Amino acid sequence: MIAPLSSEALILGGGLAGSALAIALAEAGRSVVLVEKNKEAQHKVCGEFLSPESLPLLHRLGICPDYLGAQTIHSTRLVTREVLAEVRFPAPALSLTRRVLDEALLQRARQVGVNVHRGWTAERLDHSESSNHWRAQVSDGCELMFIEGESAFLATGKHGLRGWARATKGTQNNLVAFKMYFAFSPEQQKQLAGYVELILFPGGYAGLQMVEGRCANLCAVVTKEKLQQPGAGWDSLLDYMLRHSDHLARRLNGSVPMLERPLALSAIPYGYCMNGPIEILSPWRIGDQAAVIPSFSGDGMAIALYTARRAAQLYLSGYSAADFHREIRKQFHSRLYFGSLLSRLVTAMPSLGYVARIWPSVLLGIFSATRVPDTAPVS
Ligand SMILES: Cc1cc2nc3c(=O)[nH]c(=O)nc-3n(C[C@H](O)[C@H](O)[C@H](O)COP(=O)(O)OP(=O)(O)OC[C@H]3O[C@@H](n4cnc5c(N)ncnc54)[C@H](O)[C@@H]3O)c2cc1C
């Protein structure tokens, strides 16, 4: 049997939250092992809108999205059949594909001394009372191995680890997500450049924005009920969205899909925020393991980075996972509740978007109310 790897901190999952935490701990001189199940960075179901709040958190980790090809997003447009309202953000946001961003963070983690294992899947995690250590069973597809750590951090995103499922569900659990890239002509790029367009339709909503090069990201969520209608799938959903939005139909006219098939994700626990009992003996949960905000807010990545940063700060100051979970619940609970209430309302009644036509500032208010807390200590 292979002797177990061991380290002070054991991080399961190398998305934004896992890599961000690994970098922070390694920079503080701690020994860190991180396991990520994918061998290479993958496309992920994500609108790829990097909110203004996420940018200082990335810069602190030594990541500069502009150098990676990110595009500036200065405004949002709310769209049903046509554009209802347009609002400029208080500070610029960016857009960047997750494949590029996640790779950059993992590379950075390696650079600062994290022991990164890609292509390793964590299969279980146990705590030994006698040694007061955590032990993860991981597989590289051929062999089973063990890694031990004084502390364990769960950063596996929306999907949990056997034995460590979230105690409760989200508050909006009936949405399915799809993402597709489209190659845009220079004229189409010019019309969309600088904007993230939020397109509302009965049963769901979609975000459309340019990412790197000539590539536009269309990321949609729709209720399972809508999708279960006869013949439903990506093609019929796209057709349905185009029938409900002349604006989207014009945007996509003549563009070319860039993926063989769309990426899809179901069982998204929107609105989840540590709403179960706080477990005393638990790995630290960060990123989507701690809180899942509905995607229209475009702040999920900022929450992943913020929870990673805050976990590192509290861990290094001697606090426990339970202390951290209590703080996160306090900071995010009402924001997530409000965000998923809005998400439920607009999927049920997209005509509510007309309120923003009368009072465009409502859009800005909603944007602010679903942000990472202002009080977030990012230093
Ligand atoms: C439809 C949709 C659109 C979104 N749009 C936006 C947006 O525009 N802007 C924004 O800020 N946020 C957006 N989000 C939210 C954002 O994508 C997430 O909040 C963010 O990715 C969370 O980061 P994370 O590190 O917690 O999880 P992830 O990025 O999912 O990373 C988890 C990692 O863990 C790995 N993993 C999983 N299980 C295991 C295992 N057993 N062993 C080892 N590794 C494992 C996975 O491979 C993955 O790399 C959107 C979400 C959805 C669903």
Side-chain angles (χ1 to χ4, degrees), residues 243-303:
R243 274 188 282 117
H244 279 89
S245 176
D246 302 334
H247 177 85
L248 182 63
R250 278 196 302 278
R251 278 276 178 267
L252 298 188
N253 186 22
S255 65
V256 183
M258 295 174 83
L259 302 174
E260 214 172 287
R261 48 177 179 273
L263 303 178
L265 185 67
S266 62
I268 313 169
Y270 279 143
Y272 169 79
C273 182
M274 316 283 318
N275 16 15
I278 301 281
E279 306 142 296
I280 296 302
L281 185 69
S282 159
W284 297 60
R285 294 177 187 269
I286 56 171
D288 278 354
Q289 278 293 311
V292 184
I293 192 143
S295 46
F296 77 85
S297 87
D299 222 23
M301 289 193 273
I303 292 178

Side-chain angles (χ1 to χ4, degrees), residues 195-215:
Y195 289 89
V196 55
E197 297 189 332
L198 185 62
I199 300 142
L200 310 183
F201 53 87
Y205 51 87
L208 179 70
Q209 62 176 3
M210 294 307 301
V211 280
E212 297 96 293
R214 59 188 185 134
C215 182

Side-chain angles (χ1 to χ4, degrees), residues 9 35 43 125 198 245 254 355:
V35 295
H43 286 305
L125 177 68
L198 185 62
S245 176
V355 174

Side-chain angles (χ1 to χ4, degrees), residues 206-235:
L208 179 70
Q209 62 176 3
M210 294 307 301
V211 280
E212 297 96 293
R214 59 188 185 134
C215 182
N217 173 337
L218 178 68
C219 189
V221 290
V222 61
T223 59
K224 285 181 188 155
E225 298 75 40
K226 203 45 95 201
L227 211 63
Q228 272 158 10
Q229 286 168 10
W234 167 246
D235 290 338

Side-chain angles (χ1 to χ4, degrees), residues 158-177:
K158 290 180 184 62
H159 301 294
L161 190 66
R162 192 154 45 109
W164 295 103
R166 296 177 183 85
T168 56
K169 294 170 102 184
T171 51
Q172 187 183 26
N173 301 293
N174 66 339
L175 293 177
V176 181

